[in-house]
């Protein structure tokens, strides 16, 4: 998959009165690239090139999911920043990271995911060091994403969908051993520990927290 190096600072462009066909052409022109990322909401288009710190935190939290799922023997499908879109809703988004966990089996053999017939991702990771020009939560809520981990660079909040809106929760439903405080602690630790030491600590915690670890 083609990748694009992250700029030191986030770069955002917002365009107005953009037709759905134009949005789809831009997606086609950037297929299989991790950046820029496009968010579309009924004519409003945000184009984001994530900064270095943004991507570091995103990849750290995504790796955390993979490590804990592996230790707990939970099947996950990491679909990264793939495009989710609904033409009938005139909305589309590319999260920083996204995972199928509870619904992993339903999409296991999918080469493409269609939100009109397939479930939304069970977990989305969003790094919001800078507030997005297009509010993301209404987009995620409309397609039914049940849980979001949202980091502002200092803390990680767990947001869970209830009756069409997101509210803060202390415990993850996607990976139940995890709490918002643990996510924040793991993210902070990743910035000071060696990159070989940090995964060992995550795995050790998962082993202690799993069924066999009590």
């Amino acid at each position: 998959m083609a990748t694009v190096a992250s700029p030191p600072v986030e770069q955002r462009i917002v365009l107005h009165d953009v037709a759905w066909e134009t949005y789809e052409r831009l997606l086609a022109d950037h297929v299989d690239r991790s950046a820029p990322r496009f968010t579309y909401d009924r004519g409003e288009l945000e184009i984001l090139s994530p900064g270095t710190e943004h991507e570091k935190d995103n990849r750290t939290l995504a790796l955390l999911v993979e490590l804990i799922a592996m230790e707990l023997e939970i099947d996950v499908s990491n679909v990264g920043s793939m495009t989710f879109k609904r033409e009938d809703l005139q909305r589309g988004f590319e999260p920083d990271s996204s995972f199928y966990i509870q619904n992993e089996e339903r999409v296991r053999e999918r080469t493409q995911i269609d939100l009109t017939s397939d479930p939304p991702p069970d977990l989305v990771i969003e790094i919001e060091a800078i507030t997005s020009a297009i509010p993301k939560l209404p987009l995620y809520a409309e397609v039914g994403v049940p849980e979001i981990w949202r980091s502002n660079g200092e803390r990680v909040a767990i947001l869970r969908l209830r009756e069409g809106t997101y509210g803060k929760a202390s415990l993850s439903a996607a990976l139940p051993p995890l709490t918002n405080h643990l996510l924040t602690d793991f993210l902070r630790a990743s910035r000071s520990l060696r990159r070989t030491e940090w995964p060992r600590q995550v795995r050790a915690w998962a082993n202690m927290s799993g069924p066999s670890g009590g």
Side-chain angles (χ1 to χ4, degrees):
M1 182 177 72
T3 57
V4 178
S6 299
V9 179
E10 287 191 1
Q11 300 172 2
R12 294 178 188 264
I13 298 172
V14 180
L15 304 175
H16 308 285
D17 300 319
V18 177
W20 181 265
E21 293 74 18
T22 302
Y23 166 59
E24 291 208 309
R25 283 198 298 271
L26 285 167
L27 293 176
D29 288 343
H30 294 83
V31 68
D32 292 332
R33 295 188 181 184
S34 60
R37 294 180 192 144
F38 299 93
T39 302
Y40 184 86
D41 187 5
R42 298 165 296 185
E44 301 292 296
L45 177 66
E46 179 184 74
I47 304 172
L48 167 68
S49 294
T52 302
E53 291 302 315
H54 183 130
E55 279 297 81
K56 285 175 66 176
D57 285 357
N58 172 40
R59 291 175 188 235
T60 294
L61 289 173
L63 178 58
L64 179 72
V65 174
E66 298 268 15
L67 291 171
I68 290 175
M70 187 177 300
E71 293 300 321
L72 298 180
E73 298 185 359
I74 297 172
D75 291 324
V76 302
S77 177
N78 183 347
V79 292
S81 57
M82 73 165 287
T83 303
F84 296 92
K85 57 190 174 79
R86 287 270 304 268
E87 184 176 3
D88 59 324
L89 301 177
Q90 291 285 292
R91 285 176 158 178
F93 56 87
E94 294 174 332
D96 287 313
S97 290
S98 52
F99 295 85
Y100 284 91
I101 304 173
Q102 284 73 27
N103 284 304
E104 183 273 338
E105 189 173 4
R106 291 181 60 185
V107 301
R108 185 177 298 165
E109 298 182 5
R110 294 282 197 275
T111 56
Q112 292 187 349
I113 292 173
D114 181 354
L115 286 183
T116 61
S117 55
D118 294 318
D122 297 297
L123 173 64
V124 157
I125 293 173
E126 277 295 326
I127 310 300
E128 288 289 340
I130 300 176
T131 303
S132 174
I134 296 178
K136 301 285 186 66
L137 296 186
L139 278 70
Y140 297 148
E142 186 154 22
V143 301
V145 176
E147 181 167 321
I148 298 166
W149 294 356
R150 200 174 204 183
S151 171
N152 64 3
E154 294 297 325
R155 292 180 175 82
V156 182
I158 296 172
L159 305 178
R160 287 166 59 180
L161 187 63
R162 298 184 182 92
E163 299 180 355
T165 59
Y166 288 99
K168 290 186 178 180
S170 59
L171 183 69
S172 170
L175 287 174
L178 284 166
T179 67
N180 56 332
H181 297 299
L182 279 166
L183 287 171
T184 297
D185 289 345
F186 278 133
L187 183 60
R188 289 175 177 171
S190 73
R191 296 169 179 163
S192 57
L193 293 173
R194 293 173 57 200
R195 202 59 177 175
T196 53
E197 176 62 21
W198 182 78
R200 283 199 290 270
Q201 290 201 6
V202 173
R203 289 192 182 102
W205 174 85
N207 280 322
M208 291 291 294
S209 302
S212 61

